[in-house]
Amino acid sequence: QVQLVESGGGLVQAGGSLRLSCAASGSIGSINAMSWHRQPPGKQRELVAIITSDNNTNYAGSVKDRFTISRDNTKNTLYLQMNSLKPEDTAVYYCFGALATMGGSLRGAWGQGTQVTVSS
């Protein structure tokens, strides 16, 4: 079994910062890539940022220069540092991992989500 658990969400005023974490656990052989996604109220889930196994990163245009994705391979943990937050960033944030289990099976895993609310 593989599990991803997000944490760090909360309420913040516009212009503030939050740091989200996503801890992966279970029968993990390797993680090829991890990503952050978000789902604003009444909208579909969208990609925010992605980081590969060799630490290449890509960001949605709406968050570039404000958000930073990173990973700590020794802890199997993904991070999203969010600065200069805007009300439009309000959403449930999810982490996703593309990984191989110890048995060699390729699979994707989603976290349960953490709420981020930015007030004006």
Side-chain angles (χ1 to χ4, degrees):
Q1 59 180 16
V2 176
Q3 184 174 213
L4 303 180
V5 179
E6 301 99 331
S7 62
L11 175 64
V12 65
Q13 290 189 328
S17 299
L18 285 174
R19 187 193 190 207
L20 306 183
S21 299
C22 173
S25 62
S27 185
I28 299 172
S30 63
I31 301 177
N32 294 320
M34 299 189 76
S35 55
W36 285 101
H37 305 248
R38 67 186 182 185
Q39 187 165 14
K43 298 183 178 180
Q44 296 190 74
R45 192 172 300 184
E46 63 185 4
L47 176 68
V48 175
I50 186 168
I51 185 168
T52 66
S53 59
D54 57 356
N55 282 316
N56 288 324
T57 59
N58 283 285
Y59 299 88
S62 59
V63 307
K64 68 173 303 186
D65 301 323
R66 298 190 298 120
F67 291 11
T68 302
I69 188 171
S70 62
R71 62 193 295 175
D72 185 338
N73 294 328
T74 66
K75 300 178 180 179
N76 282 338
T77 301
L78 177 72
Y79 302 98
L80 184 68
Q81 178 66 47
M82 304 185 295
N83 298 325
S84 301
L85 283 162
K86 305 175 181 179
E88 302 87 82
D89 296 318
T90 295
V92 178
Y93 284 71
Y94 301 88
C95 66
F96 176 83
L99 51 86
T101 67
M102 288 290 188
S105 298
L106 298 175
R107 65 180 65 207
W110 288 96
Q112 84 288 350
T114 185
Q115 176 71 47
V116 172
T117 302
V118 184
S119 65
S120 59

